[in-house]
Amino acid sequence: MKRSITVFAFAAILTTNAFGGEPSKGEALFDAKCAACHIKTRPTPEKKKGLTAPPAMGVMFHVKAAFSDRKAATAFVSDYALNPSEKKAKCLPRSIRRFGVMPSQKGAVTEAELSLIADYLYDNFPSKGFRHSR
């Protein structure tokens, strides 16, 4: 009986997160520490004008194109947030011209938080069927 309850509780947690319930820790951290600059949706033409940084889906499109495996991609996200540079950037040069290089997030986010954020980004972006505008 106890095992059935544990399995049911675990399934309920997974279902809640998958269908719009409580956000994961990574998503909650992204919302708190990253979403002020990096939006989670594809911007409308009107919204594009007010962007301060590339959307998460575009960022992860380029990260996944540059790194063939999850471990390397998430390590890059964590490192870049703390030690950004134009040389390391994976986005298009026009993005650097438009937004500049991301400011270091040292002191604003911990390595443990970045690990959760990077996993969340890797698992959720870009959305299925995403096509990057060149």
Side-chain angles (χ1 to χ4, degrees), residues 26-128:
E27 182 178 15
L29 285 165
F30 179 89
D31 290 346
K33 299 186 178 264
C34 310
C37 297
H38 297 281
I39 64 172
K40 296 192 288 187
T41 59
R42 184 173 205 121
T44 62
E46 300 80 40
K47 201 168 198 173
K48 271 187 179 182
K49 296 173 189 170
L51 292 177
T52 58
M57 64 181 61
V59 170
M60 290 310 294
F61 173 84
H62 292 294
V63 169
K64 287 181 174 181
F67 298 98
S68 61
D69 68 270
R70 176 191 190 93
K71 186 175 179 180
T74 56
F76 170 81
V77 169
S78 295
D79 175 65
Y80 191 82
L82 298 176
N83 305 294
S85 72
E86 187 170 348
K87 186 176 180 180
K88 285 186 196 177
K90 301 301 176 202
C91 60
L92 297 173
R94 72 174 186 226
S95 291
I96 296 288
R97 287 191 301 273
R98 179 173 178 195
F99 301 115
V101 174
M102 178 176 157
S104 174
Q105 298 304 297
K106 285 181 183 172
V109 63
T110 67
E111 289 184 24
E113 290 170 330
L114 280 170
S115 179
L116 291 168
I117 291 167
D119 283 338
Y120 163 71
L121 288 170
Y122 190 88
D123 290 341
N124 293 282
F125 298 95
S127 57
K128 191 169 190 130

Side-chain angles (χ1 to χ4, degrees), residues 10-26:
F10 183 69
I13 289 167
L14 288 176
T15 303
T16 299
N17 287 337
F19 295 104
E22 290 293 314
S24 68
K25 285 184 181 181

